[in-house]
Amino acid sequence: MLAEIRIESLGAISVAVAEFGRGLTVLTGETGTGKTMVVTGLHLLGGARADANRVRSGAERAVVEGRFTTTDLEESVAARVDDILSSSGAERDEDGSVIALRSVSRDGPSRAYLGGRSVPAKSLSSFTTELLTLHGQNDQLRLMRPEEQRAALDRSATIESRLERYRKLRDAWLSARRDLADRHSRARELAQEADRLKFALQEIDAVDPAPSEDDALVADINRLSELDALREAASAARAALAGGTDDDVDALEAISAADSLGRARTALEAADDSVLRGLADQLGEALTVVGDAARELSDYLNELPADASALDTKLARQAELRTLTRKYAADIDGVLAWARESRDRLAHLDISEEALDGLHRRVEELAAQLVEAAADVSKTRSQAAKRLAKAVTAELSGLAMADAEFTISVTPMPASDGDPAALTLPSGTLVHAGGDGVDQVEFGFAAHRGTTVLPLSKSASGGELSRVMLALEVVLAASTAGSTMVFDEVDAGVGGRAAVQIGRRLARLARTHQVIVVTHLPQVAAYADVHLMVDSSGRGGASGVRRLDGDDRVAELARMLAGLGESDSGRAHARELLEAAQCDRIATS
């Protein structure tokens, strides 16, 4: 939940600190004092676009800092939050809370910080999205969009695994369709490319190069070019270490290193002295090294060609390899890699009748599987739509709209002409297979019994739309707990008995969620667990936030009722409203 927010130089607010607890918190205040700046600050923490015009006049930057606790989150949400913090290098504070910060410069870019680390605004958004659900006044308008309505319906349905299967099949189906269409439309071009690849692969196969063969050839050619010198050097070294062969008279007469070391070791071993015997052991080790080197030199000499006649063969092979490296890659390893890639490419360039028939069958098989997956998604949505519509209608009845009717229709989305993702259903209907299924979701609404149900965008007034959104959130929130929900004037256009019902519903929602509401209705504010007021009593007319209790809260409710904060009658009315709301909360808890 959101434990605290600190705002500096944002709009009308100079410096303000607000602490939030569990349950329902309301923010009130006169128009223009900056109530919505708290919500604006939360939107900034949510990664919203930074507007330099929001920086308070005379300040260089605006800063919003939020402290979040994550102890009450569901296990899956907590795991995602931990992953986000870990990938960002963010660290928790000593008390386990996480500090998120966003600064907006008047002249430069905005900056985001999470757990003491500088992060992209998108990373900050990923973190706060898991903890905050923000409903500003524009969110009511977004509710009219088809994609927002579909997303709201999906929140109430167990649909994630079904959608994931559908999307995987859709990706495979679209890829196979594109491949098939590409082979048909570019048949001549692909045939020419296939011929070029076949010729190149035949040329490479004829040479049959081995990995790193070009490097090995260079070493062999260098060795053959210096054959006599190499043989003389190796022979002299072997003779010096271990003596020569029977045919090498001079070497036989010479004293080898092995002989000298052997005599020296024998002499030292005969001495009755521990130091000399230790040196004898060291000479023994040296003899082993000399013997090993002599044997390796013998092997080297045995492997040298008897003459340089093999040089011509090596040079000819090098010329063959250079023919390939001039055409296909810088070295033989690169040529072999090019050949592997070309064989893979050639496999996809098969435009024979058999290959096209096989790919066509593949497309049809994937289409059939996709139709089945889409039907599964549609069925799940239709079942969820009935449940959600019934629950929202019942919730609207509790919001002083007893005659209202809320409906959700789930219908196939028709494909347009030339639609690259057109899918044929078993009924023969051509639908658009979008990334979220083949359905179009539409919310319907009728405010009064007997009137025609029309699309929500055409039938709901501002106040009605506010209550529909609140009813949706109350119903959808029933399956989750632990997150923070923020409403900015969700009660706009509402008054009287409906306002009382909204306050009651928000209080009920606050049993399982932290709820923060910016409101102008005293009927809503009276239900709050915590009442914060934004006022402009600071220096230079700057706004701040303070908590109201006792008489101060009664005075603010009186002001909200009729601007009579200082009158006895206004206070009496406010006190009566507050007591009634608190009694109602106890009775319904």
Side-chain angles (χ1 to χ4, degrees):
M1 73 174 190
L2 177 64
E4 181 182 273
I5 187 171
R6 186 175 191 276
I7 300 174
E8 295 181 15
S9 304
L10 184 66
I13 296 178
S14 176
V15 177
V17 177
E19 296 183 357
F20 303 97
R22 302 177 186 276
L24 175 61
T25 299
V26 298
L27 287 103
T28 65
E30 293 279 6
T31 300
T33 55
K35 298 187 299 296
T36 58
M37 284 301 103
V38 176
V39 179
T40 299
L42 291 174
H43 275 290
L44 285 172
L45 291 180
R49 187 180 66 86
D51 185 358
N53 293 326
R54 294 287 193 182
V55 179
R56 183 172 172 80
S57 177
E60 292 298 322
R61 64 175 53 84
V63 178
V64 181
E65 179 182 310
R67 180 184 292 273
F68 295 87
T69 61
T70 60
T71 53
D72 294 335
L73 295 178
E74 293 180 342
E75 185 176 346
S76 59
V77 178
R80 291 196 297 270
V81 167
D82 287 340
D83 287 343
I84 293 169
L85 294 176
S86 177
S87 62
S88 302
E91 297 181 355
R92 294 179 181 272
D93 219 4
E94 292 181 356
D95 60 358
S97 63
V98 181
I99 296 178
L101 186 145
R102 186 87 180 272
S103 68
V104 182
S105 174
R106 180 177 296 280
D107 301 319
S110 68
R111 295 187 180 277
Y113 300 87
L114 181 62
R117 295 296 181 91
S118 177
V119 297
K122 186 175 181 180
S123 297
L124 188 62
S125 174
S126 299
F127 171 76
T128 52
T129 297
E130 296 290 348
L131 305 177
L132 290 173
T133 302
L134 300 171
H135 292 286
Q137 297 177 53
N138 292 331
D139 291 278
Q140 299 176 22
L141 301 178
R142 287 205 297 270
L143 187 60
M144 297 183 180
R145 301 174 185 170
E147 62 272 17
E148 295 291 336
Q149 295 179 3
R150 190 214 75 249
L153 173 59
D154 285 355
R155 284 172 59 192
S156 71
T158 308
I159 204 170
E160 291 79 7
S161 60
R162 293 175 172 84
L163 266 178
E164 183 178 1
R165 175 173 177 265
Y166 165 85
R167 286 166 179 156
K168 288 181 178 178
L169 285 170
R170 176 179 180 269
D171 290 343
W173 173 67
L174 289 175
S175 177
R177 275 181 53 135
R178 286 192 295 267
D179 191 8
L180 181 60
D182 187 57
R183 295 195 198 193
H184 277 301
S185 63
R186 299 174 55 219
R188 178 177 298 178
E189 179 185 344
L190 294 177
Q192 292 173 350
E193 183 181 355
D195 287 342
R196 289 193 297 270
L197 290 177
K198 288 177 182 177
F199 176 82
L201 290 171
Q202 288 171 359
E203 184 178 22
I204 294 172
D205 291 341
V207 176
D208 192 22
S212 303
E213 184 181 354
D214 48 348
D215 293 334
L217 273 177
V218 170
D220 289 344
I221 290 170
N222 289 338
R223 180 179 296 177
L224 289 169
S225 299
E226 302 291 337
L227 184 60
D228 292 339
L230 294 174
R231 181 179 288 110
E232 182 179 351
S235 297
R238 185 186 62 181
L241 292 176
T245 64
D246 293 340
D247 297 332
D248 191 347
V249 178
D250 293 336
L252 285 171
E253 293 177 350
I255 298 176
S256 68
D259 291 338
S260 298
L261 289 171
R263 286 195 295 271
R265 184 179 65 171
T266 301
L268 293 177
E269 286 176 340
D272 186 15
D273 184 82
S274 60
V275 175
L276 294 180
R277 284 197 297 272
L279 291 173
D281 292 339
Q282 293 183 34
L283 290 175
E285 294 174 1
L287 270 170
T288 301
V289 173
V290 167
D292 290 342
R295 281 191 295 275
E296 290 181 16
L297 284 169
S298 295
D299 293 340
Y300 178 83
L301 285 167
N302 292 333
E303 291 174 1
L304 284 177
D307 56 50
S309 60
L311 180 60
D312 292 338
T313 303
K314 299 285 185 180
L315 290 173
R317 180 61 175 173
Q318 188 181 52
E320 288 182 332
L321 298 183
R322 283 179 175 171
T323 300
L324 301 181
T325 55
R326 279 197 302 267
K327 291 183 178 180
Y328 306 113
D331 54 30
I332 288 301
D333 286 347
V335 171
L336 293 174
W338 184 90
R340 287 193 298 270
E341 294 171 0
S342 296
R343 286 190 176 89
D344 291 340
R345 173 63 178 160
L346 192 59
H348 289 85
L349 290 179
D350 190 352
I351 55 173
S352 65
E353 187 173 344
E354 292 179 357
L356 293 178
D357 287 344
L359 187 55
H360 184 72
R361 287 193 298 271
R362 173 64 175 162
V363 171
E364 290 182 337
E365 290 171 1
L366 287 171
Q369 295 176 34
L370 184 62
V371 167
E372 180 185 350
D376 191 23
V377 171
S378 299
K379 180 180 178 181
T380 302
R381 280 195 176 125
S382 296
Q383 293 171 345
K386 293 178 182 178
R387 295 192 301 268
L388 183 59
K390 182 178 179 180
V392 171
T393 297
E395 193 64 33
L396 287 172
S397 178
L399 289 170
M401 298 179 70
D403 292 335
E405 182 180 1
F406 179 80
T407 64
I408 304 176
S409 64
V410 180
T411 56
M413 188 185 313
S416 58
D417 293 338
D419 190 340
L423 183 67
T424 304
L425 300 181
S427 62
T429 305
L430 202 62
V431 297
H432 172 70
D436 296 298
V438 300
D439 308 313
Q440 54 185 6
V441 176
E442 185 174 72
F443 289 175
F445 177 76
H448 304 286
R449 188 173 303 162
T451 59
T452 303
V453 176
L454 296 174
L456 185 65
S457 59
K458 298 179 180 179
S459 56
S461 65
E464 291 166 345
L465 189 59
S466 297
R467 280 179 277 179
V468 169
M469 188 180 75
L470 179 58
L472 263 174
E473 286 300 335
V474 169
V475 172
L476 294 175
S479 59
T480 61
S483 62
T484 298
M485 308 187 75
V486 182
F487 296 94
D488 183 13
E489 298 194 13
V490 68
D491 49 19
V494 178
R497 187 164 61 92
V500 173
Q501 294 299 330
I502 287 178
R504 179 179 293 167
R505 287 307 186 277
L506 289 170
R508 192 175 78 184
L509 186 60
R511 295 174 190 168
T512 54
H513 294 70
Q514 182 189 38
V515 180
I516 300 171
V517 182
V518 177
T519 183
H520 65 280
L521 292 180
Q523 296 95 325
V524 172
Y527 277 87
D529 296 293
V530 176
H531 190 151
L532 303 178
M533 186 179 74
V534 182
D535 63 24
S536 55
S537 58
R539 182 180 300 177
S543 295
V545 179
R546 61 189 179 95
R547 179 167 178 159
L548 301 181
D549 292 296
D551 290 342
D552 289 339
R553 186 177 184 188
V554 170
E556 172 63 4
L557 289 176
R559 181 200 64 77
M560 296 172 70
L561 281 165
L564 302 174
E566 300 301 325
S567 72
D568 292 339
S569 60
R571 287 174 177 265
H573 190 184
R575 190 171 286 106
E576 181 182 359
L577 176 63
L578 184 61
E579 291 174 355
Q582 299 308 311
C583 289
D584 187 30
R585 291 194 61 171
I586 295 173
T588 57
S589 62

